Amino acid sequence: MKRFIALIVLTLMTISIMAACGQAKPEANTDQASAGTNAGANGGVDTESKDLTIYTALEDDQINAYLVTFKEKYPDTKLNIVRDSTGVITAKLLAEKDNPQADVVWGVAATSLLVLDQNEMLEGYSPAGVERIQPDFKDKNEPAHWVGIDAWETAFVVNKPELEKKNLPIPQSYEDLIKPEYKGLITMPNPSSSGTGFLTVSGLVQLKGQDGAWSYMDKLNDNIAMYVHSGSKPAKMAGTGEYPIGISFGYRGIEEQKNGSPVEVVFPKEGSGWDVEANALMKKATIKQTAKDFLDWAITDDAMKEYNKNYAILATKADTTVIPEGYSQDPVQQLIKNDFYEAAKNRDAILAEWDKRYNAKSEPKTE
């Protein structure tokens, strides 16, 4: 755990520096911590509504399992779940800035929440138990504008039998992916649509610098068959053998294995780009009490146990965290040094450049 904290502190140094310019976090008040804190500029709190709209980028097959304990505790609350890929959810939230529809955001990339925060769209709220969240997995403001739950990372999902038919080795690194023998065999998420796509592209920029990353991605583009609009889809396509190499993320590749697909999950030797799945309260004229209740629940031990069934790196400080099957015993060492603040600040420019260079190979968007 000490190695984990040390690495995360280094990777998020810029956020810490920026936050230091703001107000320092006071000592936690016991009563406040038990009920959550809110610095609502709007003042209005609706204590009657039992209808909650949640925007999320969590995987479809995770959501129902995660929500079991919330529904047990709040059986009268009606949950309206709006689920899509990270880029789509982020664009939807930005489009609704002047008339927000979501009450809370659950499990959306921290880099996207930083973009929303830059647009003054998040309401400060420190959920009950926030002191259990590691400092670098939550906003440094008090009350917090976003709180993380877990981290996910770039992985290659590779269909072994299909590569064996072609007498090709399983790629182990980003550099392997640009070898000419893999031409037309690779799919990757479009970073404008997919959080996995963005963390992969942003990770390459941070690994190689701007010039080196674009030079590398020009070569990678030569081998790409298609860019898709989901972080999961490349893993699924690799599983069926349609395209034998999918740039995806660890959880989805491991799920493909569990479901019987003949794939190997490879974490690139150079290190994986990564992001934090995080939650936030949307700024609205009236804040629902049930939205605060949801955010309190979303970082409870019960919720964290469910997240841990899928992700090896959690936001909480806990000696009971387990490494799910399919991950290495020290997955933190796989993560690159990552600056979330810089990633969020440069997001629009990176996406614009990526679209200009490579979007012609993207699959058509479906409504």
mmCIF file of all heavy atoms in Angstrom, residues 42-46 284-288:
data_model
loop_
_atom_site.group_PDB
_atom_site.id
_atom_site.type_symbol
_atom_site.label_atom_id
_atom_site.label_comp_id
_atom_site.label_asym_id
_atom_site.label_seq_id
_atom_site.Cartn_x
_atom_site.Cartn_y
_atom_site.Cartn_z
ATOM 1 N N ASN A 42 -26.660 27.114 -4.266
ATOM 2 C CA ASN A 42 -28.051 27.372 -4.593
ATOM 3 C C ASN A 42 -28.952 27.347 -3.368
ATOM 4 O O ASN A 42 -29.987 28.002 -3.345
ATOM 5 C CB ASN A 42 -28.543 26.327 -5.600
ATOM 6 C CG ASN A 42 -27.701 26.343 -6.862
ATOM 7 O OD1 ASN A 42 -27.547 27.374 -7.479
ATOM 8 N ND2 ASN A 42 -27.144 25.197 -7.232
ATOM 9 N N GLY A 43 -28.567 26.602 -2.347
ATOM 10 C CA GLY A 43 -29.296 26.630 -1.101
ATOM 11 C C GLY A 43 -30.483 25.690 -1.025
ATOM 12 O O GLY A 43 -30.813 25.200 0.041
ATOM 13 N N GLY A 44 -31.184 25.422 -2.144
ATOM 14 C CA GLY A 44 -32.391 24.617 -2.105
ATOM 15 C C GLY A 44 -32.101 23.133 -2.048
ATOM 16 O O GLY A 44 -31.306 22.624 -2.828
ATOM 17 N N VAL A 45 -32.741 22.407 -1.113
ATOM 18 C CA VAL A 45 -32.609 20.966 -1.012
ATOM 19 C C VAL A 45 -34.003 20.355 -1.000
ATOM 20 O O VAL A 45 -34.849 20.716 -0.182
ATOM 21 C CB VAL A 45 -31.839 20.545 0.260
ATOM 22 C CG1 VAL A 45 -31.765 19.028 0.360
ATOM 23 C CG2 VAL A 45 -30.442 21.141 0.256
ATOM 24 N N ASP A 46 -34.255 19.456 -1.929
ATOM 25 C CA ASP A 46 -35.530 18.762 -2.038
ATOM 26 C C ASP A 46 -35.450 17.474 -1.233
ATOM 27 O O ASP A 46 -34.758 16.534 -1.615
ATOM 28 C CB ASP A 46 -35.823 18.467 -3.510
ATOM 29 C CG ASP A 46 -37.118 17.706 -3.730
ATOM 30 O OD1 ASP A 46 -37.772 17.348 -2.733
ATOM 31 O OD2 ASP A 46 -37.452 17.442 -4.899
ATOM 32 N N LYS A 284 -27.453 22.246 -9.680
ATOM 33 C CA LYS A 284 -28.813 22.510 -10.127
ATOM 34 C C LYS A 284 -29.458 23.510 -9.164
ATOM 35 O O LYS A 284 -28.978 23.703 -8.048
ATOM 36 C CB LYS A 284 -29.634 21.218 -10.178
ATOM 37 C CG LYS A 284 -29.024 20.129 -11.057
ATOM 38 C CD LYS A 284 -29.832 18.847 -11.061
ATOM 39 C CE LYS A 284 -31.059 18.956 -11.926
ATOM 40 N NZ LYS A 284 -31.702 17.627 -12.140
ATOM 41 N N ALA A 285 -30.575 24.129 -9.591
ATOM 42 C CA ALA A 285 -31.252 25.098 -8.745
ATOM 43 C C ALA A 285 -31.706 24.462 -7.434
ATOM 44 O O ALA A 285 -31.672 25.086 -6.372
ATOM 45 C CB ALA A 285 -32.447 25.697 -9.482
ATOM 46 N N THR A 286 -32.122 23.213 -7.505
ATOM 47 C CA THR A 286 -32.536 22.469 -6.311
ATOM 48 C C THR A 286 -31.820 21.132 -6.304
ATOM 49 O O THR A 286 -31.866 20.388 -7.278
ATOM 50 C CB THR A 286 -34.057 22.236 -6.290
ATOM 51 O OG1 THR A 286 -34.728 23.495 -6.315
ATOM 52 C CG2 THR A 286 -34.464 21.483 -5.030
ATOM 53 N N ILE A 287 -31.155 20.849 -5.199
ATOM 54 C CA ILE A 287 -30.429 19.597 -5.037
ATOM 55 C C ILE A 287 -31.315 18.611 -4.281
ATOM 56 O O ILE A 287 -31.925 18.951 -3.266
ATOM 57 C CB ILE A 287 -29.121 19.814 -4.251
ATOM 58 C CG1 ILE A 287 -28.221 20.833 -4.961
ATOM 59 C CG2 ILE A 287 -28.396 18.487 -4.037
ATOM 60 C CD1 ILE A 287 -27.699 20.406 -6.293
ATOM 61 N N LYS A 288 -31.407 17.384 -4.779
ATOM 62 C CA LYS A 288 -32.216 16.358 -4.117
ATOM 63 C C LYS A 288 -31.423 15.690 -2.996
ATOM 64 O O LYS A 288 -30.258 15.331 -3.186
ATOM 65 C CB LYS A 288 -32.656 15.307 -5.125
ATOM 66 C CG LYS A 288 -33.574 15.838 -6.216
ATOM 67 C CD LYS A 288 -33.893 14.749 -7.233
ATOM 68 C CE LYS A 288 -34.771 15.290 -8.358
ATOM 69 N NZ LYS A 288 -35.039 14.260 -9.387
#
